[in-house]
Amino acid sequence: MKDRFGREINYMRISVTDRCNLRCEYCMPEEGITKVDRSEILQIDEIVRICEASVRIGIDRFKITGGEPLVRYDLVELIRMIKGIPGCKEVTMTSNGQILSSYVEELADIGIDGINISLDTLDTEKYRNITRLGDIRKTLDAIDLCIEKGIKTKINCLVQKGFNEDEIRDLAEYSMDKGIDIRYIELMPIGFADPDKCLGSEEIMSILRDAYPELEADDSKHGNGPAIYYKVLGRNSSIGFINSVHGKFCESCNRIRLTSKGFLKPCLCYDSGRDLKPFLRSDIDGLVGAIFDTITEKPKSHCFENPDREHIKSLEKRPMSEIGG
Ligand code: SAM
Ligand code: SF4
């Protein structure tokens, strides 16, 4: 369906849990978040029903996220069920990769359409520091296994000043060696992120241009998101940029977000939206209507780049782990 600004909305990010086996500095405090009560988290059949209703109005691509989606014991079953909805075109997921290796085979068997794996550094010590709990080996092994099983795999790299700008080239080289795309993401002022650490895509691009003067625009389609891609001549994977803060790609935004508690958000930046839980008790038309109405309220654009945004009413306060990125 189209929203009031004429944007085609066809993609939903679904946070299936706020729990995580890591504590990335920008996402969670060291002691972890105040967890959403388990009874409040959507059940598998409730998520599937929301997806069924969404498909009816043309939202037919789903990204499963979290928290860490794989800490949910019923995740593979959930993905299998969503994939079975008539009209569903795509189900992908995003993961930190820590326990992914144990599920790669099953995920490949049910035909998952892609996995994005977060990797901000290639250094064992730095990985442990930024994630507070992580073992980089487990994530690197999971990446290899996904590639081996033929799953479309991408690396998501969150760039932060003073942390990993010196690894931008190495991470690109690592991904291109593996033949998979990497996307550099601008740090958004949300959750526990320090806005002063945001490194703009132009600066990231300039580092990459120095490393690869032959970098050229890659206009081929790589997914459903706002990433802009480039290619190094002679390499068979691409380098993408998600300019979440400075890019203002709102004009072509195609997505809505469902939190682990069943709150539907038309824009990541603001806390507005609709609790879908009461509509789960109504017939499917009621649920379709609630999703439709939420989309009609989708704001024109985010305000992440606004230095005075703290004064803006209805700024999002939920932690990233509840929303899912
Ligand atoms: N646990 C999974 C993972 O890390 O891939 C999925 C959930 S995580 C919230 C999804 C993505 O959001 C990750 O790639 C993470 O780097 C990104 N993220 C978290 N906080 C962010 C922020 N403040 N700005 C931009 N991206 C962020
Ligand atoms: Fe967990 Fe992902 Fe947040 Fe890191 S970014 S703490 S892996 S949910």
Side-chain angles (χ1 to χ4, degrees):
M1 72 170 276
K2 282 199 172 20
D3 73 359
R4 67 200 154 120
F5 301 107
R7 296 172 293 198
E8 188 68 46
I9 310 298
N10 57 14
Y11 177 88
M12 184 188 277
R13 288 182 72 98
I14 305 173
S15 174
V16 295
T17 177
D18 62 330
R19 271 99 166 139
C20 189
N21 45 7
L22 296 184
R23 299 277 179 275
C24 298
E25 273 181 7
Y26 43 78
C27 184
M28 286 194 190
E30 194 158 6
E31 66 281 10
I33 41 150
T34 312
K35 291 181 188 137
V36 170
D37 195 90
R38 265 183 212 285
S39 62
E40 285 186 69
I41 289 183
L42 289 183
Q43 302 287 315
I44 184 168
D45 54 320
E46 293 174 320
I47 299 174
V48 173
R49 196 164 160 77
I50 292 172
C51 293
E52 278 167 352
S54 303
V55 168
R56 290 200 186 188
I57 48 173
I59 297 153
D60 48 19
R61 293 138 223 254
F62 301 95
K63 165 86 72 202
I64 307 299
T65 174
E68 172 54 33
L70 285 165
V71 304
R72 244 190 110 129
Y73 76 94
D74 52 5
L75 187 81
V76 177
E77 178 60 6
L78 172 66
I79 294 176
R80 195 188 61 72
M81 286 170 78
I82 302 175
K83 276 200 69 80
I85 297 172
C88 167
K89 291 210 175 111
E90 187 185 285
V91 186
T92 56
M93 69 178 279
T94 164
S95 170
N96 60 34
Q98 288 290 288
I99 54 169
L100 176 58
S101 290
S102 314
Y103 297 93
V104 170
E105 189 137 8
E106 276 179 276
L107 289 166
D109 285 350
I110 61 167
I112 191 157
D113 297 290
I115 305 185
N116 294 349
I117 302 178
S118 300
L119 183 70
D120 301 343
T121 173
L122 290 168
D123 182 281
T124 307
E125 204 60 28
K126 279 168 77 178
Y127 186 85
R128 164 75 66 174
N129 288 343
I130 194 80
T131 62
R132 296 199 182 100
L133 295 169
D135 174 356
I136 195 170
R137 196 64 258 159
K138 292 180 179 167
T139 294
L140 297 178
D141 287 348
I143 293 169
D144 287 341
L145 206 53
C146 286
I147 297 170
E148 194 188 309
K149 294 287 171 197
I151 295 176
K152 201 167 152 203
T153 309
K154 290 180 192 164
I155 303 292
N156 277 347
C157 174
L158 192 60
V159 185
Q160 290 194 91
K161 277 183 198 161
F163 175 68
N164 57 355
E165 71 251 69
D166 57 337
E167 284 193 85
I168 288 170
R169 183 189 191 280
D170 292 348
L171 281 151
E173 201 54 35
Y174 164 83
S175 308
M176 289 189 292
D177 278 350
K178 302 264 171 208
I180 57 178
D181 291 350
I182 182 166
R183 290 108 52 84
Y184 297 99
I185 305 171
E186 284 184 349
L187 183 74
M188 291 180 276
I190 201 164
F192 295 84
D194 174 355
D196 293 338
K197 289 194 178 162
C198 174
L199 191 74
S201 285
E202 277 186 18
E203 291 161 87
I204 303 171
M205 184 65 177
S206 137
I207 292 170
L208 284 165
R209 277 222 183 280
D210 286 347
Y212 305 106
E214 68 278 32
L215 209 60
E216 47 180 55
D218 171 10
D219 297 328
S220 60
K221 187 156 170 51
H222 286 252
N224 298 303
I228 300 167
Y229 284 93
Y230 292 82
K231 205 160 180 151
V232 177
L233 224 66
R235 309 298 287 264
N236 54 10
S237 62
S238 301
I239 299 175
F241 297 87
I242 304 184
N243 310 339
S244 343
V245 180
H246 299 100
K248 261 316 197 222
F249 40 64
C250 303
E251 249 178 46
S252 57
C253 182
N254 62 347
R255 59 196 52 202
I256 51 176
R257 292 172 162 85
L258 183 68
T259 72
S260 51
K261 283 176 34 180
F263 189 84
L264 189 63
K265 282 173 62 59
C267 178
L268 178 60
C269 184
Y270 309 100
D271 67 3
S272 57
R274 211 172 244 83
D275 181 9
L276 292 186
K277 270 205 182 133
F279 298 95
L280 285 165
R281 290 189 287 272
S282 69
D283 59 14
I284 191 118
D285 291 338
L287 186 55
V288 172
I291 298 169
F292 183 95
D293 290 346
T294 311
I295 292 173
T296 59
E297 289 156 16
K298 189 170 164 69
K300 191 170 182 193
S301 61
H302 72 65
C303 63
F304 287 135
E305 78 296 1
N306 183 343
D308 298 324
R309 66 185 168 277
E310 294 310 325
H311 305 297
I312 294 172
K313 221 176 111 219
S314 82
L315 206 65
E316 183 55 270
K317 308 274 185 320
R318 292 178 184 87
M320 197 61 140
S321 48
E322 199 181 315
I323 309 168

